[in-house]
Amino acid sequence: MADDGAARQLDKEILSPKPGIQSPAEGGGDFQPRIVGFLCNWCSYAGADLAGVTRLKMPPSMVAIRVMCSSRVDPLFVLKAFLAGADGVLVAGCHPGDCHYQTGNYYTRRRFALTLKVLEELGLEANRVRLSWVSASEGGRFAEVVTEFTETIRKAGPNPAKTEVFL
Amino acid sequence: MTGATIQAKNGVNGAVSAVLKSLKDSGCVDAVLVPTRVKSGETFVYLLIRNPKMLDSCAPLPPVMPVQGARALQSLTRHGKVEQTVLCVMRPCEVRASIELAKRRQVDLENVLFMSLDCPGALRTRDYVNDPEALDKRYQGILNNWEGDGLRPTCETCVHFSCEDVPVDLHVGLVGTKEEEAVIIGVSKRGEELLDKAGIECSEDVSAWQVEVEKARDKKAGNRSKVVSELKDKAAGMDNLGLLFADCINCHNCMRVCPICYCRQCFFDSSDQVRLRAEDYFAKAQARGGIRFPGDMMQFHLGRIYHMGLSCVGCGACEDGCPMDVPVSQVFAFAGDEVQKTFDYVPGRSTDEPIPTLTYEEDELHEYEDA
Ligand code: SF4
Ligand code: SF4
Ligand code: FES
């Protein structure tokens, strides 16, 4: 989201329904969660890739946005995705201690705590955001995180912000 | 703690300006940054005063706070430190905002001294400009009884109205002191030295005042938890938040007058970050049936909570500057309180405490991660 292109990408990815999935405003049937995942380049994105090439089974619910480090994720990114109607937002990076830039993910954790706390305080479904650590070699773990999170979101239902007109 | 009683026959402002004069005359202060009434009489601005005569007409505790003092100090030190000593006379929340700005390297505190006063709150600026005389009277009453109508809503619940947790050099105590009297206290080492050099002997015990401050604080703390829990119920959830901010006209005044919002190019004003192209708005409208213009109202307000909720000092400047009476600072107060508590952070308490998002512990906050 550092430039216009990425900002547009985010809105478009969330808004444009994948083939076979209709937006709720258009009276779509089964609820298919759309999750935006901010994945750090060095660990979680590579982990996602590994999950892909090893053909692990997971729901096709995630739109991945690659960031160079999980600490790049400003709480506003999460907020923007949330208000754009993402049903869930995942922030994922290297395990603490393993950040490519040494300490980035310790800051990520602080920011994420802030992100979550504000949502909680304002009564805004904090269960729709999640912070997970996934290393480059943990393809299996990545698939698990996505599967599990998708289930949580499926239970929670669509993000009401998706149909809000007066935001 | 010890201090000195000062006579306030001509009101607090007269008493404090006399002290300021002796500090200036003693030569240990080169200039004073202090609120002063404008010629038309309707409002107050900060003046950087070098001529001691002009201190006669300054107003250290004006009934309103049209400009947050941290903003004044920020303008003064925009290009770096001041070479000569300047004493800033401010409300406690203005000092705290200055400290927060210093942590963000927007204010340089070298050679800067602070004097604060027990603050009963500030009246709404818009009310004041309409009838300064009547509101001056009302404020006098508020100073005497330590309560009254027409204060900023956040002031009613402010627990930082005295000098505890506020890193000042000098402080003027007013709560519960005899009418026509105030106490001046050298809070820091430098503050003590200043008073000493100005020939103000501080040997009186001020514990009676301290007790009164405690009492007043308990009362305000009670107000605060009550108001916060009420508002929390009223604001919870997207629908309610939408109602709370419904009147917003997107003027972004709240952001411009906020002492903590310092970015010269605001994220929310930047066309690259938040503005989309027509075709994207069409897509959005298609998905939702329709969308609001100007857009991103919620993103702006919640985004500001994210960017500065940790540092919000609860001064109420945003709400005072809002033309639509959106309860901005009240929402900030309750969202801010909680995030500040999460990190055990009190904004403006000390320059030694880093902003929580700019530091970390390796072993912490595990409840927020999923390992
Ligand atoms: S958000 Fe409002 S109350 Fe908080 S510091 Fe800024 S102007 Fe003051
Ligand atoms: S000052 Fe009031 S109307 Fe203007 S943007 Fe802020 S909340 Fe909205
Ligand atoms: S590089 Fe992966 S979290 Fe910093």
Side-chain angles (χ1 to χ4, degrees), chain B residues 245 247-255 257 297 300-301 304 318-319 321-328:
Chain B
F245 289 120
D247 293 346
C248 174
I249 55 171
N250 286 47
C251 66
H252 292 193
N253 235 17
C254 46
M255 163 201 106
V257 296
M297 186 268 284
F300 170 70
H301 288 293
R304 275 190 74 237
C318 46
E319 204 164 312
C322 173
M324 294 301 286
D325 295 326
V326 177
V328 214

Side-chain angles (χ1 to χ4, degrees), chain A residues 20-43:
Chain A
I21 304 175
Q22 277 185 306
S23 75
E26 289 165 339
D30 279 358
F31 169 50
Q32 300 293 339
R34 306 295 304 272
I35 294 169
V36 173
F38 293 101
L39 313 179
C40 108
N41 178 57
W42 304 101
C43 288

Side-chain angles (χ1 to χ4, degrees), chain A residues 11 15 84, chain B residues 276 279-291 296:
Chain A
D11 276 290
L15 290 169
Chain B
L276 298 176
E279 73 238 47
D280 300 327
Y281 286 124
F282 267 76
K284 265 191 159 172
Q286 175 73 28
R288 296 174 189 229
I291 50 163
D296 298 323

Side-chain angles (χ1 to χ4, degrees), chain A residues 4 8 25 76 80 83-84 103 109-110 115 117 121-122 130-133 141 161-162 164-165 167, chain B residues 232 237 273 277 279-280 287-288 292 297-299 303 306 338 342 356 359-360 362 364 369-371:
Chain A
D4 185 48
R8 289 186 76 202
L76 283 192
K80 197 167 175 15
L83 292 177
T103 57
R109 190 166 55 199
R110 286 219 155 195
T115 310
K117 203 74 209 169
E121 273 318 293
L122 300 176
R130 171 169 172 152
L131 171 67
S132 299
W133 310 125
R141 175 167 160 71
K162 214 191 292 270
E164 262 299 332
V165 173
L167 285 186
Chain B
K232 211 169 152 174
Q273 305 290 353
R277 288 167 210 182
E279 73 238 47
D280 300 327
R288 296 174 189 229
R292 170 197 160 111
M297 186 268 284
M298 198 57 90
Q299 183 175 252
Y306 276 129
E338 277 310 309
T342 305
T359 182
Y360 65 87
E362 288 187 9
E364 63 167 2
E369 66 189 352
D370 129 60

Side-chain angles (χ1 to χ4, degrees), chain B residues 76-249:
Chain B
L76 181 64
T77 64
R78 175 146 279 170
H79 292 290
K81 66 170 180 180
V82 285
E83 297 292 345
Q84 290 168 305
T85 309
V86 55
L87 175 64
C88 303
V89 185
M90 293 178 175
R91 291 179 144 92
C93 61
E94 298 174 285
V95 177
R96 295 171 60 227
S98 304
I99 303 298
E100 287 303 295
L101 281 181
K103 289 180 196 172
R104 292 172 153 78
R105 304 212 196 109
Q106 303 302 313
V107 154
D108 195 319
L109 292 178
E110 209 175 320
N111 297 324
V112 171
L113 297 160
F114 288 110
M115 174 197 271
S116 66
L117 303 93
D118 281 350
C119 172
L123 296 172
R124 276 186 225 106
T125 310
R126 258 185 301 154
D127 296 347
Y128 189 81
V129 295
N130 287 331
D131 196 350
E133 263 173 50
L135 271 84
D136 277 337
K137 256 198 218 122
R138 190 193 298 172
Y139 202 62
Q140 194 49 51
I142 292 176
L143 271 171
N144 293 339
N145 308 319
W146 220 250
E147 60 188 5
D149 293 337
L151 294 171
R152 293 181 178 186
T154 41
C155 298
E156 308 260 23
T157 61
C158 173
V159 291
H160 297 288
F161 59 86
S162 192
C163 60
E164 199 196 28
D165 282 344
V166 186
V168 289
D169 299 290
L170 299 166
H171 185 78
V172 178
L174 301 170
V175 192
T177 54
K178 274 190 226 132
E179 226 169 287
E180 308 195 335
E181 267 181 21
V183 287
I184 179 138
I185 301 137
V187 182
S188 71
K189 191 106 204 69
R190 273 161 95 198
E192 282 174 7
E193 285 165 15
L194 282 184
L195 291 178
D196 192 45
K197 287 214 181 100
I200 300 171
E201 203 198 320
C202 290
S203 51
E204 287 165 44
D205 177 38
V206 294
S207 49
W209 162 74
Q210 281 174 301
V211 170
E212 293 298 323
V213 168
E214 274 312 314
K215 270 196 226 155
R217 184 175 299 122
D218 286 347
K219 198 168 158 205
K220 294 245 185 180
N223 287 351
R224 190 172 187 96
S225 35
K226 193 167 146 254
V227 170
V228 161
S229 69
E230 276 169 17
L231 193 68
K232 211 169 152 174
D233 292 341
K234 219 171 110 193
M238 194 61 87
D239 287 347
N240 286 331
L241 275 176
L243 291 176
L244 224 54
F245 289 120
D247 293 346
C248 174
I249 55 171

Side-chain angles (χ1 to χ4, degrees), chain B residues 65 68 93 97 152 154 254-255 257-261 304 308-309 311-319 328-330 332-333:
Chain B
M65 180 168 55
Q68 227 274 7
C93 61
R152 293 181 178 186
T154 41
C254 46
M255 163 201 106
V257 296
C258 170
I260 311 291
C261 269
R304 275 190 74 237
M308 1 103 37
S311 290
C312 171
V313 294
C315 61
C318 46
E319 204 164 312
V328 214
S329 70
Q330 299 173 63
F332 262 83

